[in-house]
Amino acid sequence: MTSVTATKRSGPDDPHGGRSGRDGQGGRGGRPRRSWRPGPSGPPPRGKAFGDRAAWFLVLPALIPILILSVGPLLYGIALAFTDAQSGRTRSTQWIGTLNFQDLLHDTLFWDSFRIGLVWAVGVTVPQFLLALGLALLLNQNLRLRWLARALAIVPWAMPEVVVGIMWRLVYNPDAGILNETIRDLGLGDGRDWLTGLATALPAVILVGIWAGMPQTTVALLAGLQNTPRELHEAAALDGAGAWRRFRTVTWPAIKPIALAISALNLIWNFNSFALVYVLTSGGPGGRTRLPMLFAYEEAFRYGQFGYAAAMGCVMVAVISVLLALYLVGRLRGGEDR
């Protein structure tokens, strides 16, 4: 009787008399042995950790120059705005708090340059986008020598801003410039000095800014147009939609994200313009083309007021940050709506 009972309690594969579990792996005391499984809070796999470190090593060559050449000077400039730093080796720098910003609030010359900068940025960005959109639509058509037209369209973009400024100074030259020569040949007058006239200096500079920046906008919009499926245009044409209706219902929704992105970037780039206007007019005549960047440059390197110029730079960084925030919020809302 005893041997039968012992046989029932112990299986054939359990010589120690323990109760085997369902998986055939018995443990002492009749409890099945529990296999170890790494939980979600366990250490990451060795390969993944090595991959993360390798990714950081690959990013560092691009990240270090950004930190040294962009983030570092930005932080130094913000700190400099709270001091009375001026030119001169023997002059000591003192911490003055927000005194530079208080003086800046009452500086009418700076706010005039700020207004001129906004007029310049909007006056260049809006016509630039409209002309680039028309040119992109034209270059998207099946035209002869389209490749040559596309190559010529990006020539202004490939030229440095200093070269563009020198070239247009020759165009606007009051004595031998091609613009005044054309006006004289057409019998429209004797021409005028475009870059030194109080009424014509800013429009003349805006025209150069439009010409110089239009190619990059054209390329971006042309890429969006080429990614638009032609089947959509063909279906709209079969439904009787005209050219304007096809553009409004098919083309524009397809390129709208690109249009918003390039317009926001152009507005920021144009507001920060320096080299082109500096070569053309150096901020003259009478400050009519003195953009905020030019004003800060003069305060720092002509008058030696480094702390005050740094405060101007902080204000411009704040304005640009607001523009970027508005753009990002608009993109996020657009993504949620889709």
Side-chain angles (χ1 to χ4, degrees):
M1 186 67 179
T2 306
S3 60
V4 175
T5 305
T7 304
K8 290 182 178 180
R9 288 185 178 179
S10 60
D13 296 331
D14 192 1
H16 300 288
R19 185 176 296 178
S20 60
R22 292 184 180 181
D23 55 354
Q25 295 180 354
R28 293 185 179 181
R31 294 182 181 179
R33 290 198 296 264
R34 299 172 63 181
S35 60
W36 179 84
R37 293 190 182 95
S41 60
R46 186 175 181 180
K48 184 177 183 300
F50 178 77
D52 293 341
R53 289 195 297 269
W56 276 108
F57 280 119
L58 293 174
V59 171
L60 280 179
L63 186 61
I64 291 176
I66 293 175
L67 293 175
I68 296 176
L69 301 177
S70 298
V71 179
L74 176 62
L75 297 178
Y76 178 73
I78 293 174
L80 203 66
F82 296 92
T83 66
D84 62 347
Q86 298 181 11
S87 61
R89 293 184 178 180
T90 60
R91 185 176 181 85
S92 60
T93 300
Q94 303 293 330
W95 182 270
I96 60 174
T98 60
L99 185 59
N100 285 328
F101 295 95
Q102 295 176 15
D103 294 339
L104 199 60
L105 289 176
H106 305 286
D107 192 342
T108 57
L109 293 177
F110 172 73
W111 294 113
D112 285 341
S113 70
F114 200 86
R115 176 185 57 81
I116 294 172
L118 290 177
V119 173
W120 154 267
V122 176
V124 172
T125 302
V126 175
Q128 188 181 90
F129 173 78
L130 296 176
L131 293 174
L133 179 60
L135 183 59
L137 291 172
L138 180 63
L139 295 177
N140 195 42
Q141 304 299 319
N142 292 323
L143 304 175
R144 295 184 61 185
L145 299 178
R146 184 176 58 176
W147 62 271
L148 179 61
R150 290 180 177 178
L152 294 176
I154 64 174
V155 168
W157 192 17
M159 299 174 63
E161 288 186 329
V162 175
V163 176
V164 172
I166 294 173
M167 183 185 70
W168 277 91
R169 281 182 65 91
L170 297 175
V171 172
Y172 285 136
N173 188 280
D175 298 324
I178 187 173
L179 180 59
N180 282 341
E181 289 293 334
T182 303
I183 292 176
R184 295 188 189 102
D185 292 342
L186 294 177
L188 300 177
D190 295 332
R192 58 194 310 171
D193 197 347
W194 300 94
L195 294 178
T196 59
L198 295 177
T200 60
L202 185 58
V205 173
I206 288 176
L207 179 62
V208 179
I210 294 172
W211 181 85
M214 192 173 66
Q216 61 184 359
T217 308
T218 303
V219 171
L221 294 176
L222 182 59
L225 291 173
Q226 289 179 339
N227 288 329
T228 305
R230 293 189 175 274
E231 293 79 5
L232 297 178
H233 291 278
E234 295 174 355
L238 291 176
D239 291 339
W244 169 248
R245 188 176 178 184
R246 290 199 304 271
F247 172 80
R248 184 170 54 87
T249 58
V250 178
T251 304
W252 178 248
I255 65 173
K256 184 178 178 180
I258 299 176
L260 294 177
I262 195 65
S263 298
L265 293 176
N266 284 338
L267 186 64
I268 294 171
W269 288 334
N270 292 327
F271 185 77
N272 286 330
S273 294
F274 173 80
L276 184 62
V277 181
Y278 183 78
V279 173
L280 285 170
T281 62
S282 298
R288 295 300 177 92
T289 60
R290 185 186 289 129
L291 304 181
M293 282 294 181
L294 286 173
F295 194 89
Y297 170 81
E298 291 179 353
E299 287 293 325
F301 299 104
R302 179 176 293 182
Y303 304 113
Q305 302 294 330
F306 295 140
Y308 193 56
M312 295 180 187
C314 289
V315 172
M316 287 183 281
V317 169
V319 172
I320 294 171
S321 299
V322 171
L323 293 176
L324 281 174
L326 293 176
Y327 165 69
L328 292 175
V329 169
R331 288 300 303 266
L332 290 176
R333 289 181 178 178
E336 291 176 357
D337 293 339
R338 289 193 296 270

